[in-house]
Amino acid sequence: RRRGGCRHAASVTLTERRLKEFMQAEIGYFAGMSAQPVELTHIFKASTPELAAELILRQLPIHFATRIKHIEALCEWGSVPELVQVRNTLAESFQKLRLLETFASNLEPLTLVIHDLRQRHKAIVPLLGVAMADLRHRGLVSEADGNKWLDAFLLARISTEMCTLHYIMMLKAGQEAQAGRRGIIDPKCNPSEICRQAVVNVQRDPRYRTVPMPVESFVSPSAEKGIEFSFLPQYLLMIVEELIKNSACASVMRTERDSRTSRPKGSSGSGEYPPVRVFVGADDTQVMIEVSDKGGGITSKNFDSIWSYSSTQAPSSGGPGASSTAEERLGMSWADPLSGLGIKQRLGMGLPLTRLYTQYLGGSLELMSIPGVGVDTFINLKRIDPDEIRARSPPVAAKD
């Protein structure tokens, strides 16, 4: 039996108890392999469905086993239902990958498993938010240790999530005909168009529909390249959308706060919202995006906490009587299915998670605030040359 890569499984019948014991032993073995992140270079090199499948079968079992042990290392993890659920989700995915019979000529069994695990793994981020809030509330984990634990877990999750999406998109019909696009990588990603799409997405929310959000783009006069660059448009859109949403929220809440304190008695208090401005700039080595608002900024005493997975309640709808402040709304988790339920305390994860995605993509995310004025957020992304990466990067070696 091979422990890594594609394999042909012998016909062996196991009882459910023996299978569980076998999988526990497998998890321990794979967790001992010292998982390394699936680097962006590995994804660039996986330029066919077959190569992406090899990367998945080689790396994901190691990563899932490592994350299971990461959970089991937490104090009293078994008393937190959300952690138990995440651990079981990972164990189920590990088992399905390890029991999979794979053949180079037929990727359908793997494709079914990947679709299934991507659907089941959607709940992991919000579940972790609830779980860590519970552990911190009970004094079992400090804020600093909780942040460190989440950073390690979520960074590993980002790499495997991108890997599986790359595989799924690689299989889509007509990929080869889409201007050289391969999977999640677009060699002609246009950051200005991405920012405009992010504005459209944010303004679908009735709360932000009337907030002006102009997008301006510039290319250095000395640049030989245009504004397009090789990048991952889905993830750039997610990052920019989160930042624009935060700034729009700050603009709306500042206007509502100022309106309540300054309008005459009986006045409706309606007024124009300060704009959220988006600037895109590029030269031959980098692409930068700035999101600027006049939402009042963040006080110096609260500035460091914005990068923490800080404790909060589910966000309000922004209607009359909403009590959350712009600072409280910064860092809310995007696409969070628990949002609005109000049944459990959770951790705000949006802004720290946005920075993790940016860092994984080889960029940086910095935030500058002028208290009483507003916030400027800067994304700095380096241009990537896929041909150079494929030429110099060795394949990921399996460990046996």
Side-chain angles (χ1 to χ4, degrees):
R1 174 173 56 86
R2 286 185 60 192
R3 287 192 181 265
C6 301
R7 65 202 184 283
H8 299 281
S11 297
V12 177
T13 301
L14 295 175
T15 64
E16 184 175 344
R17 181 179 65 83
R18 288 291 296 155
L19 178 61
K20 184 176 180 180
E21 292 174 352
F22 173 73
M23 281 299 152
Q24 274 299 111
E26 287 273 282
I27 288 171
Y29 176 82
F30 276 83
M33 290 184 175
S34 301
Q36 299 297 318
V38 180
E39 297 178 3
L40 204 54
T41 56
H42 301 149
I43 295 177
F44 270 82
K45 282 180 68 67
S47 55
T48 67
E50 291 75 20
L51 289 174
E54 288 181 16
L55 183 62
I56 285 172
L57 290 168
R58 190 165 53 231
Q59 291 291 314
L60 261 62
I62 300 174
H63 280 271
F64 291 161
T66 302
R67 267 177 260 166
I68 288 170
K69 294 301 181 181
H70 197 56
I71 290 172
E72 292 176 350
L74 281 171
C75 180
E76 296 190 33
W77 70 272
S79 67
V80 183
E82 292 79 13
L83 283 179
V84 173
Q85 184 175 341
V86 173
R87 190 259 178 221
N88 291 343
T89 296
L90 292 169
E92 180 179 350
S93 298
F94 177 89
Q95 177 172 317
K96 288 185 175 182
L97 285 171
R98 292 301 296 149
L99 297 180
L100 189 65
E101 292 190 45
T102 55
F103 304 90
S105 60
N106 182 15
L107 295 176
E108 184 177 356
L110 174 62
T111 302
L112 293 174
V113 169
I114 296 303
H115 277 296
D116 170 71
L117 74 82
R118 283 183 60 81
Q119 183 64 34
R120 288 185 295 101
H121 285 215
K122 285 181 179 180
I124 285 180
V125 172
L127 284 171
L128 288 178
V130 174
M132 198 55 64
D134 184 8
L135 290 174
R136 280 172 49 178
H137 177 72
R138 292 159 59 187
L140 297 174
V141 174
S142 68
E143 180 177 348
D145 288 342
N147 289 340
K148 184 178 179 181
W149 189 94
L150 285 168
D151 274 347
F153 189 103
L154 294 172
L155 187 60
R157 183 184 181 276
I158 286 170
S159 66
T160 54
E161 194 276 335
M162 285 189 182
C163 189
T164 56
L165 180 60
H166 183 59
Y167 171 76
I168 293 299
M169 293 192 65
M170 193 78 68
L171 292 173
K172 286 188 175 180
Q175 278 287 301
E176 288 75 13
Q178 294 184 13
R181 180 165 176 169
R182 293 292 186 273
I184 59 176
I185 302 163
D186 184 356
K188 295 186 180 296
C189 176
N190 188 317
S192 295
E193 292 180 1
I194 295 293
C195 291
R196 292 187 180 96
Q197 183 59 54
V199 167
V200 171
N201 293 349
V202 172
Q203 288 185 328
R204 289 195 180 107
D205 189 324
R207 293 170 292 179
Y208 312 135
R209 189 167 294 155
T210 58
V211 178
M213 302 181 190
V215 177
E216 301 179 56
S217 59
F218 307 88
V219 177
S220 171
S222 62
E224 297 181 2
K225 300 176 181 178
I227 202 164
E228 294 179 342
F229 71 135
S230 186
F231 209 67
L232 290 68
Q234 298 93 335
Y235 293 97
L236 181 57
L237 176 63
M238 183 170 62
I239 290 167
V240 174
E241 187 174 326
E242 178 71 10
L243 299 178
I244 292 176
K245 181 178 66 176
N246 284 338
S247 286
C249 176
S251 295
V252 167
M253 299 194 77
R254 178 179 189 173
T255 301
E256 292 177 349
R257 183 178 65 248
D258 291 349
S259 180
R260 286 195 298 268
T261 58
S262 63
R263 70 175 183 260
K265 187 175 181 180
S267 168
S268 64
S270 60
E272 295 184 356
Y273 298 120
V276 174
R277 300 188 182 277
V278 183
F279 302 96
V280 184
D283 60 20
D284 286 339
T285 62
Q286 64 183 343
V287 172
M288 292 193 68
I289 299 172
E290 176 186 359
V291 179
S292 178
D293 68 64
K294 294 295 185 288
I298 303 168
T299 60
S300 56
K301 72 174 183 177
N302 292 327
F303 190 81
D304 289 341
S305 66
I306 64 174
W307 299 116
S308 172
Y309 300 93
S310 53
S311 184
T312 182
Q313 297 289 337
S316 73
S317 63
S323 60
S324 59
T325 67
E327 290 170 2
E328 289 170 341
R329 294 291 296 277
L330 279 171
M332 301 304 282
S333 177
W334 67 67
D336 185 345
L338 299 184
S339 175
L341 295 182
I343 54 175
K344 270 197 174 184
Q345 190 181 54
R346 61 185 175 84
L347 296 186
M349 304 180 79
L351 198 56
L353 192 52
T354 302
R355 185 166 68 168
L356 276 185
Y357 270 97
T358 307
Q359 291 172 345
Y360 179 78
L361 293 170
S364 62
L365 176 62
E366 298 180 1
L367 189 148
M368 297 180 64
S369 173
I370 302 179
V373 179
V375 171
D376 293 316
T377 308
F378 301 90
I379 306 170
N380 190 331
L381 302 168
K382 297 184 183 299
R383 288 185 182 269
I384 302 171
D385 186 341
D387 293 331
E388 180 183 341
I389 287 175
R390 295 188 188 105
R392 64 180 169 82
S393 299
V396 183
K399 295 186 178 182
D400 293 307

